[in-house]
Amino acid sequence: MSKPVVAIVGRPNVGKSTLFNTLAGEKISIVKDTPGVTRDRIYANVSWLDWEFTMIDTGGIEPDSKDIILSQMREQAQIAIDTADVIVFITDVKQGVVDADSKVADMLRRSGKPVLLVVNKVDHFEKYMPDVYEFYNLGIGDPIPVSAASRLGLGDMLDEVIAHFPESMKEEEEDDRPRIAIVGKPNVGKSSIINKLLGESRVIVSDIAGTTRDAIDTEVTHDGKEYIFIDTAGLRRKNKIKEELERYSIIRTVTAVERADVVVMVIDATEGVTEQDAKIAGIAHERGKGMIIVVNKWDAIEKNDRTMREFEAQVRQILSYLSYAEILYISAKTGQRLNRLYDMIDMVIQNQTLRIATGVLNEIMTEAVAMQQPPSDKGKRLKLYYITQVSVKPPTFVVFVNDKELMHFSYTRYLENKIREAFGFKGTSLKFFIRERKEKEQ
């Protein structure tokens, strides 16, 4: 089920990132030890009451001159309108209503999306209320006073945010058709891949109504099975600012990845893995999605008997944290090897939803411990008591140990490799949680 998306829009220095960081609970949203992933915090997971949602900071405005600020704010507002279920528009009580605020408010109002007007830096409600009322002039509803820095009014604000989520998102009937997001940089051939897949399935393509994002969902039937492809292609806007464009396509990719079970990442064989590919891959990996790397335009490469091995080594090295991902070499132009994609998707989904009996897991763990002694520190040795699988998509395991500090990352990795040797789990990441148990609790 897809999580609602909430986007934050606002001028520079109104406290967007303070609010973002406070709500994100200082959890940096991109994994620290993932190489090649920027520290740029574009999105974070937020939970409030019984909702979980993805919050996007459309940010990135450099205050240069009034005109640039306005044009970039419009750009941000457009990103928010295109990708979010609810838009939070942040203003600053101390600066009052500014011309740029009014212009962006007009744009948001016309979008028809739910917009919450949040007035920040109200660190004393009585004192600032007259100034807050001034924001009624923007004509986008009741201003909500908050102070992100002092954490005032945030609960009321979040209540308002979730009040605008469509109920249908909560009670979506279980749609168990696999969702596949085709992602990658512009011009790597995403559209041609989708068109080829559709062409060969001879289906009536129905664009599913009611998807708020403008990634187009397409239903495909192949060999009697139904799939939904989330296409992020054709989402390019004419834009002079390259950085903004890159951020824009990444934000749209995040929303597509969020809703997918399997992410098919398309890389251009003639270019190799780029920094933006690594960013997108990091997001999919962190979200625990199934992963298939598709190398397109393979027909355009001069080949000898080592070409594929060398290319794969390069991909594996740059995306080292995706060692489990499957790699498929294709040509969307000629359709070469494209039909193998469906088999790969089926296999990845099977692995993503694989459940392993606790007894079997514990046998593997006991054997792993016997083959390689757990680490010890200052005379205390790590003991592994018990392992069990707690969920799927991605398969998630809890390991009970005597001392969490002793369970080094490398030993968890070793255990993961042993489980993969036994069950494959190709194409899906595995998550491990380490819990402590005192000896006497045994």
Side-chain angles (χ1 to χ4, degrees):
M1 203 180 87
S2 57
K3 279 191 235 166
V5 174
V6 175
I8 295 181
V9 177
R11 280 180 299 111
N13 307 323
V14 293
K16 288 205 301 287
S17 34
T18 314
L19 180 75
F20 188 76
N21 294 341
T22 305
L23 294 181
E26 296 310 321
K27 274 203 203 107
I28 303 293
S29 60
I30 289 178
V31 181
K32 291 262 201 357
D33 51 15
T34 309
V37 174
T38 59
R39 301 283 169 264
D40 196 11
R41 302 184 50 187
I42 296 176
Y43 64 93
N45 288 325
V46 180
S47 22
W48 183 250
L49 303 179
D50 46 1
W51 280 95
E52 281 218 359
F53 60 91
T54 300
M55 187 168 54
I56 293 180
D57 178 5
T58 57
I61 298 184
E62 285 312 313
D64 199 354
S65 74
K66 285 211 167 56
D67 307 341
I68 293 206
I69 286 184
L70 182 59
S71 72
Q72 293 201 356
M73 274 195 74
R74 286 195 164 133
E75 189 65 42
Q76 274 190 27
Q78 194 55 55
I79 296 180
I81 290 167
D82 290 348
T83 54
D85 297 297
V86 176
I87 298 165
V88 173
F89 179 31
I90 301 194
T91 54
D92 178 345
V93 76
K94 302 203 163 127
Q95 296 174 22
V97 176
V98 182
D99 187 39
D101 291 335
S102 313
K103 295 204 161 97
V104 171
D106 288 343
M107 196 172 150
L108 294 174
R109 189 173 50 239
R110 285 197 300 272
S111 74
K113 288 267 173 104
V115 179
L116 295 188
L117 171 58
V118 172
V119 183
N120 191 19
K121 304 190 187 173
V122 182
D123 32 32
H124 193 292
F125 279 17
E126 280 72 42
K127 184 170 142 200
Y128 286 112
M129 272 336 256
D131 301 327
V132 170
Y133 292 137
E134 187 199 343
F135 286 87
Y136 272 107
N137 293 327
L138 289 175
I140 47 174
D142 300 336
I144 303 167
V146 304
S147 164
S150 325
R151 297 172 174 256
L152 293 174
L154 297 183
D156 295 346
M157 182 193 82
L158 288 170
D159 287 346
E160 281 297 317
V161 168
I162 63 175
H164 286 86
F165 291 157
E167 264 310 301
S168 59
M169 280 193 134
K170 210 168 202 179
E171 293 158 10
E172 258 174 33
E173 74 293 355
E174 277 300 295
D175 182 348
D176 50 10
R177 293 175 297 181
R179 291 175 176 272
I180 295 97
I182 309 254
V183 304
K185 289 203 327 304
N187 301 326
V188 289
K190 299 188 293 275
S191 312
S192 13
I193 290 177
I194 288 226
N195 293 340
K196 266 278 189 317
L197 290 171
L198 297 186
E200 284 164 13
S201 321
R202 305 263 177 274
V203 293
I204 297 148
V205 174
S206 56
D207 290 335
I208 302 166
T211 44
T212 51
R213 334 275 192 280
D214 56 354
I216 300 134
D217 288 5
T218 312
E219 301 173 342
V220 182
T221 307
H222 176 78
D223 278 354
K225 278 194 213 136
E226 284 191 21
Y227 303 83
I228 292 177
F229 282 93
I230 302 168
D231 179 10
T232 55
L235 294 182
R236 254 162 308 157
R237 298 162 46 73
K238 292 179 183 51
N239 189 325
K240 290 177 267 323
I241 312 165
K242 184 168 181 312
E243 318 294 60
E244 280 288 302
L245 179 72
E246 183 153 311
R247 186 179 183 94
Y248 192 67
S249 58
I250 285 198
I251 285 179
R252 299 185 121 159
T253 303
V254 170
T255 45
V257 165
E258 198 59 81
R259 299 169 51 224
D261 301 310
V262 177
V263 173
V264 173
M265 185 161 144
V266 186
I267 290 175
D268 184 329
T270 57
E271 275 186 39
V273 183
T274 66
E275 192 186 334
Q276 195 175 347
D277 294 331
K279 259 187 210 174
I280 293 171
I283 290 167
H285 167 69
E286 196 209 4
R287 290 296 201 247
K289 304 295 181 179
M291 269 312 273
I292 298 172
I293 297 169
V294 166
V295 182
N296 188 21
K297 308 185 189 174
W298 192 241
D299 52 327
I301 296 278
E302 287 287 314
K303 290 186 260 310
N304 59 30
D305 52 358
R306 292 190 310 278
T307 316
M308 197 177 274
R309 269 209 309 278
E310 285 166 3
F311 193 90
E312 176 146 348
Q314 182 222 358
V315 172
R316 295 283 185 210
Q317 185 194 346
I318 298 175
L319 305 176
S320 56
Y321 47 93
L322 287 183
S323 52
Y324 54 84
E326 288 288 281
I327 299 184
L328 179 64
Y329 299 86
I330 65 154
S331 159
K333 204 162 88 189
T334 65
Q336 178 191 15
R337 280 197 284 280
L338 197 52
N339 56 342
R340 287 179 45 194
L341 189 57
Y342 283 110
D343 295 340
M344 235 176 223
I345 289 170
D346 290 346
M347 178 199 75
V348 170
I349 286 192
Q350 210 175 340
N351 287 337
Q352 272 237 301
T353 50
L354 190 58
R355 282 186 185 275
I356 299 186
T358 302
V360 180
L361 278 173
N362 283 285
E363 273 170 34
I364 293 174
M365 185 174 82
T366 311
E367 200 173 302
V369 168
M371 283 167 67
Q372 186 174 324
Q373 254 203 342
S376 62
D377 186 30
K378 300 193 183 65
K380 186 173 188 188
R381 187 169 292 288
L382 169 69
K383 285 186 189 158
L384 285 74
Y385 296 131
Y386 187 74
I387 180 170
T388 184
Q389 184 176 351
V390 289
S391 64
V392 294
K393 279 191 177 181
T396 304
F397 304 91
V398 172
V399 185
F400 291 97
V401 300
N402 61 337
D403 185 346
K404 226 154 84 168
E405 294 301 305
L406 290 174
M407 184 77 172
H408 295 222
F409 174 69
S410 56
Y411 204 78
T412 308
R413 175 60 57 84
Y414 162 69
L415 192 57
E416 172 176 339
N417 291 339
K418 287 294 170 211
I419 291 174
R420 284 188 185 278
E421 273 169 32
F423 296 101
F425 279 119
K426 275 195 162 147
T428 179
S429 63
L430 303 181
K431 285 212 172 6
F432 288 85
F433 291 106
I434 311 302
R435 300 263 187 279
E436 249 173 52
R437 256 198 197 172
K438 297 292 166 270
E439 308 264 346
K440 57 179 178 299
E441 286 177 32
Q442 275 309 297

